Amino acid sequence: MNNKIQFPEIFLWGTAASAYQIEGAWNVDGKGESVWDRYVRLPDRILNGDTGDIACDHYHRMPADVALMKDLGIPCYGFSISWTRILPNGHGAVNPNGLDFYNRLVDTLLEAGIVPKATLHHWDFPQALQEKGGWPNRDSADWFADYAQIVFEHLADRVHTWDTINEPWVVAFLGYGAGVHAPGICDATKAYQAAHHLLLAHGKAVQRYRQGGYQGEIGLRLNLNHLIPASDNEEDLAATQRVYDESHSFFLDPVFKGCYPEAFLEWLGPHRPHIEPGDIESIHNSADYLGINHYNTDRVHFEIFGGWLKARLTPFSAPSWGTTQMGWGINPAGLKAEVLNIKENYDNPKVYLAENGCAMPDIPDEKGFVADYERINYLRAHLIALHEAMQDGANVQGYFVWSILDNFEWERGYSKRFGLVRVEPITLKRTPKQSAYWYRDVISENGITL
Ligand code: GCO
């Protein structure tokens, strides 16, 4: 009997975080305002009125955080870059202090033997550019490409793996559609136009990277949660297809197949985005790899009052698994299904499982230590499912736990904790949880003992 699953010899193990969620220092050293800096100040948008003003204060504690990652045996760290630290107004004048911070971060990681993986944009869009229309303004694609080029010129000699944009679906549909994320707009037409421009921005940034002749790889990072029709009836199946098209095909098809899902664009009617000649060519073949963020599975029901998709989602958990503290269904087989779907329908691209993890109740003992066996069970089961997909031929080359630190969970503030490392409120003291030691062992064995 085989009692151990083994990952390939070359497999990138890591953890991830994002600038707004951990850095703090929101107005320090010349940083400009982002839409999240603005949004958190609006009344009743964020649970308990929390903000990312201080967050984990990673901006000031970066060397100690990198040292902690080294102690925990983490080989690769995926971080995001704050656009307005580099360009306070989104374009134009560069802030040398901002570049300096990321230069130091990259150097500190390399000195610690940790591979840096950078994301250019994780939702903290410049407020100055929001005032010019934000992502629904077509110019946003060039603003982003110009910003990307500046970052490449300063960091691409040492950073060799680049995600352009994290979860464009979230930016477009939670930021401009549902209005529950910054900039807090509810407008379906703007949401789909933003979605197209996010893809165009990605495509243009990739062109700059390739023209620059840098040594490395660049890709897009999508949130691909798993969907199951609530029944076999035609209406539930069609609703599932619409939700799938909005979250999957809308982003995957242009990048990997060079087209948008036409039936879905027709369904959108007046909300259909304006696409100019040449746009699709800029987006097609623009990913050296696909970053997949995966957390949960939902059942999809047809629902006449279910917004423009006419759909309602309910969490699905596999038997004997509950839900996470987010109320998300736990279904490790959903991860396997998503990864195999990419293999089968998108020509088996290189994949990084770029985010996977869970918020759990996390009760600390008197020393601040959290014995988070629920998180370990979740991570372990998802890694086993990922390994099964790889055994079935999926080209997965790395896995990243979200997140290294407990941090600012967007509209839920600090009420939800995803970290391998606990961050104490107020003192911000870091204490690795049981899961951090468990993950260290998985990495050092490059596998899991069953
Ligand atoms: C994500 C987000 C993270 C979230 C995490 C948990 O990419 O979805 O990048 O910012 O914190 O997913 O909800």
Side-chain angles (χ1 to χ4, degrees), residues 20 46 122 145 171 202 207 214 283 289 316 345:
Y20 189 73
I46 310 294
H122 196 127
V171 177
H202 156 78
Q207 281 170 2
Y214 301 107
I283 300 167
Y289 63 85
F316 172 86
N345 294 313

Side-chain angles (χ1 to χ4, degrees), residues 7 68 73 183 234 237 259 306 317 339:
F7 283 82
L68 181 58
E234 229 172 84
L237 291 175
C259 59
S317 301
V339 170

Side-chain angles (χ1 to χ4, degrees), residues 360-390:
M360 288 295 180
D362 277 8
I363 314 288
D365 67 13
E366 65 289 347
K367 291 192 180 125
F369 179 74
V370 180
D372 56 342
Y373 290 101
E374 289 165 300
R375 180 171 290 102
I376 293 173
N377 288 340
Y378 175 103
L379 295 173
R380 185 175 189 277
H382 283 79
L383 272 173
I384 292 171
L386 180 68
H387 188 263
E388 286 172 9
M390 293 165 69

Side-chain angles (χ1 to χ4, degrees), residues 236-251:
D236 285 339
L237 291 175
T240 308
Q241 184 65 44
R242 288 192 292 277
V243 175
Y244 178 88
D245 281 343
E246 189 192 76
S247 58
H248 289 61
S249 323
F250 192 93
F251 298 96

Side-chain angles (χ1 to χ4, degrees), residues 17-18 21 122-123 166-167 170 221 223 293 295 326 328 355 357 402-403 407-410 412 418:
S18 88
Q21 292 178 279
H122 196 127
W123 311 352
N166 176 66
E167 301 189 354
V170 170
R221 186 152 129 219
N223 47 312
N293 295 349
Y295 290 90
M326 301 286 276
W328 293 347
E355 283 185 28
W402 183 272
S403 177
N407 60 45
F408 177 79
E409 181 56 26
W410 309 110
R412 294 173 177 89
F418 277 83

